[in-house]
């Protein structure tokens, strides 16, 4: 770029792309797609969706990135698969359609990314529930044994897994941390009061308070069992009592041996 050239702006690129018949969709994600979240530092993150097999000079913009404009240029098939699964799923779930030459086809693809299918949601919920219980259990044990830093770190980990769980139970991808409050203010989780939930995860992440963790687990246990995930919890056997506010009386808990924890981030 010479001294006299100006960086490519979002508006200028949209005009160029909209005039190219190879472009079947333009999709804006990130802060610019979340009302009220833009700042002076917000750029424009734009997907440029090309018809499969199309040839266009716009491919020269692949990987284009400036403080004003980030471009992802991809085929329709690649766009359909983006975030399914993957980190981009939430960004696309809340993305905004700028151009749709497929009679609503681009919008339908975004809607599909915003909704987990029933099998996916059930599988993911069970896995996140187990990971949440594991980190909670570790936090409580470390607090008991005087390992304050470890207890707080495990508590923070448990919040991550809890949020994944709660959104999976509602068949939604979990929002990025930046958009958590934004998402819950506009699309609350059924059965949860947004303010108290955010206060709980904030306090637990910051302090690792065991009493707060146990109170929250009491609610989560009831929700998880109602959703059909009782077996995941019962596999923890008597170790569940360390997570509860009030341990169950002998004979009321499932007769399962305590699990041996070790291995991946969802175990230990």
């Amino acid at each position: 770029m010479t001294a006299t050239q100006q960086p490519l702006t979002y508006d200028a690129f949209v005009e160029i792309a909209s005039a190219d018949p190879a472009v079947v969709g333009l999709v804006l994600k990130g802060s610019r797609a979340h009302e009220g979240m833009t700042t002076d530092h917000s750029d424009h993150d734009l997907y440029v969706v090309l018809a499969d097999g199309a040839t266009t000079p716009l491919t020269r913009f692949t990987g284009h990135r400036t403080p004003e404009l980030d471009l992802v240029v991809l085929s329709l098939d690649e766009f359909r698969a983006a975030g399914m699964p993957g980190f981009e799923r939430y960004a696309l779930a809340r993305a905004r359609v700028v151009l749709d030459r497929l009679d609503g086809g681009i919008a339908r693809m975004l809607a599909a990314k915003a909704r987990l299918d029933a099998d996916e949601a059930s599988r993911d919920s069970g896995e996140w529930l187990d990971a949440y219980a594991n980190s909670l259990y570790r936090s409580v044990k470390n607090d008991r044994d005087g390992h304050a830093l470890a207890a707080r770190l495990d508590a923070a980990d448990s919040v991550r897994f809890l949020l994944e769980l709660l959104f999976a139970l509602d068949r939604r991808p979990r929002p990025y941390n930046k958009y958590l409050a934004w998402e819950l203010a506009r699309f609350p989780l059924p059965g949860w009061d947004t303010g108290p939930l955010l206060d709980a995860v904030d306090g637990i992440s910051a302090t690792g308070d065991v009493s707060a963790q146990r109170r929250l687990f009491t609610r989560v246990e009831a929700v998880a069992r109602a959703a059909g995930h009782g077996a995941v919890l019962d596999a923890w056997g008597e170790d569940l009592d360390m997570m509860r506010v009030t341990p169950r009386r002998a004979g009321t808990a499932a007769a399962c041996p305590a699990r041996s924890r070790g291995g991946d981030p969802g175990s230990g």
Side-chain angles (χ1 to χ4, degrees):
M1 181 180 298
T2 68
T4 59
Q5 288 178 311
Q6 297 298 316
L8 181 65
T9 67
Y10 168 76
D11 290 336
F13 181 82
V14 168
E15 183 177 355
I16 294 168
S18 298
D20 190 327
V23 177
V24 297
L26 295 173
V27 174
L28 184 66
K29 65 170 186 173
S31 299
R32 298 281 179 178
H34 288 72
E35 183 181 359
M37 291 297 291
T38 57
T39 71
D40 291 341
H41 306 288
S42 297
D43 62 2
H44 294 80
D45 295 296
L46 190 69
Y47 274 89
V48 184
V49 186
L50 306 178
D52 291 325
T55 300
T56 169
L58 290 182
T59 55
R60 74 184 187 274
F61 290 108
T62 299
H64 177 90
R65 181 167 187 158
T66 69
E68 156 76 6
L69 180 63
D70 287 355
L71 299 176
V72 177
V73 183
L74 72 178
S75 70
L76 183 60
D77 276 347
E78 290 170 330
F79 179 73
R80 186 180 289 109
M84 301 292 281
F87 185 71
E88 284 289 278
R89 187 162 188 174
Y90 174 75
L92 289 165
R94 292 292 178 224
R96 179 164 64 84
V97 175
V98 178
L99 175 70
D100 188 344
R101 286 201 171 104
L102 301 180
D103 296 325
I106 297 294
R108 288 190 292 273
M109 290 180 199
L110 294 180
K113 297 175 191 298
R115 185 73 171 165
L116 281 63
D117 68 39
D119 289 342
E120 179 185 18
S122 178
R123 180 190 67 245
D124 290 356
S125 296
E127 292 173 355
W128 292 123
L129 174 60
D130 195 45
Y132 165 62
N134 180 30
S135 288
L136 169 58
Y137 177 69
R138 284 175 177 270
S139 180
V140 173
K141 281 204 310 178
N142 281 322
D143 180 80
R144 178 198 65 190
D145 296 338
H147 304 305
L149 174 59
R152 290 196 304 273
L153 292 174
D154 286 324
D157 285 345
S158 78
V159 167
R160 170 199 162 198
F161 298 132
L162 171 63
L163 291 172
E164 295 280 7
L165 165 64
L166 296 183
F167 279 95
L169 287 172
D170 197 34
R171 297 177 59 181
R172 292 155 60 184
R174 176 197 162 179
Y176 306 148
N177 293 332
K178 177 180 179 178
Y179 301 120
L180 178 62
W182 184 98
E183 178 79 12
L184 291 177
R186 291 158 178 79
F187 310 99
L189 289 165
W192 291 87
D193 291 332
T194 292
L197 175 60
L198 289 175
D199 287 344
V201 300
D202 184 14
I204 290 169
S205 296
T207 68
D209 181 76
V210 169
S211 295
Q213 291 190 74
R214 284 173 166 155
R215 289 193 299 271
L216 185 57
F217 178 74
T218 297
R219 177 72 187 281
V220 174
E221 181 177 11
V223 168
R225 290 187 182 280
H229 295 293
V232 175
L233 293 166
D234 291 338
W236 282 83
E238 294 180 357
D239 288 339
L240 278 176
D241 283 344
M242 289 192 66
M243 310 178 204
R244 293 172 171 146
V245 173
T246 304
R248 293 185 179 180
R249 296 187 301 275
T252 62
C256 297
R259 293 162 52 139
S260 175
R261 318 305 293 171
D264 61 27
S267 65

